[in-house]
Amino acid sequence: MNPLLPVGFLAVSETSTAEVTMTEIHLNRSGINSIDIPPENAHVDCGGTLRIRFKNRGAPIHITATTSNAGMFTDFFHENMYVIDEVMLGISLRKECAPGFFDIDIIAGYGAMKATLRVEVAVKPSRKEAKLEKELPVQPEAHGRPHLLMVAMGLSLILYSSWYYTRIDLLNLAAFIALIVGALFVWYRQT
């Protein structure tokens, strides 16, 4: 059973001539709230889909993806996401658009860090191929074992509750240390 995470993202349906372009953006890789975008621009054809995979290398993070100059290419405007490990964002482009470019601003740390991904749009010659219409999943699926930070938080809650009723100071200290160790492990883990 794969429970869905409570994170919404833009649902996109691909058309018969749509092609999917994938771009990866790394979060928390080079520092707290850091956003590492690829050095090259993303290239998408009119009628295609741009999929952006956000890979988090540290503690869970809130990010915002927004654009202000993409109105002639797509209906996408703004998306808030909570990234624990990995989240996928899909942006579909209109079939009837002219070549050009637009920028996607990725904001983390409640405005402290900002990076811009340039998306170049090209017109692709139309093909008459019949394909089944596919739909991207509405939410990313959880995978892997429980996040160590959540396990450390549960252990700390148990230790703190025990301290609250027994007043043994060692339990309070152990609860605090368990939280710190869980947060440090998640922060410094390398995937």
Side-chain angles (χ1 to χ4, degrees):
M1 180 171 119
N2 290 334
L4 297 177
L5 296 175
V7 176
F9 82 96
L10 184 62
V12 180
S13 62
E14 299 177 42
T15 60
S16 61
T17 60
E19 291 197 15
V20 177
T21 303
M22 179 70 72
T23 301
E24 284 190 359
I25 296 178
H26 296 274
L27 307 170
N28 287 326
R29 184 166 65 175
S30 58
I32 298 174
N33 293 327
S34 68
I35 305 166
D36 298 330
I37 62 172
E40 65 278 349
N41 296 338
H43 299 279
V44 184
D45 293 328
C46 287
T49 301
L50 173 65
R51 292 181 70 190
I52 303 173
R53 176 179 286 140
F54 293 96
K55 285 188 164 186
N56 188 5
R57 302 290 185 141
I61 183 173
H62 283 278
I63 62 169
T64 301
T66 185
T67 183
S68 60
N69 61 347
M72 58 192 278
F73 303 106
T74 182
D75 293 330
F76 175 79
F77 174 69
H78 180 84
E79 186 70 30
N80 288 324
M81 293 169 279
Y82 182 68
V83 184
I84 295 176
D85 286 327
E86 184 176 298
V87 170
M88 188 75 68
L89 172 67
I91 301 173
S92 64
L93 273 66
R94 294 187 182 110
K95 288 183 183 180
E96 310 83 23
C97 64
F101 67 90
F102 63 94
D103 297 322
I104 300 174
D105 295 325
I106 294 98
I107 303 166
Y110 301 102
M113 301 296 261
K114 178 181 176 182
T116 302
L117 174 68
R118 170 73 50 104
V119 179
E120 294 180 2
V121 179
V123 177
K124 181 182 174 187
S126 62
R127 293 185 204 171
K128 295 182 180 179
E129 297 175 354
K131 293 183 182 177
L132 295 176
E133 193 171 308
K134 297 179 184 177
E135 187 173 311
L136 295 176
V138 176
Q139 294 179 341
E141 296 180 9
H143 60 289
R145 59 186 182 274
H147 210 267
L148 182 63
L149 182 60
M150 299 303 153
V151 173
M153 289 173 58
L155 178 65
S156 295
L157 179 65
I158 293 169
L159 290 171
Y160 184 79
S161 297
S162 300
W163 167 80
Y164 187 76
Y165 289 109
T166 63
R167 295 296 180 189
I168 299 173
D169 290 332
L170 184 62
L171 294 174
N172 189 11
L173 180 64
F176 180 73
I177 290 173
L179 274 179
I180 297 299
V181 167
L184 288 176
F185 179 80
V186 169
W187 181 256
Y188 289 110
R189 74 184 169 123
Q190 295 296 322
T191 358

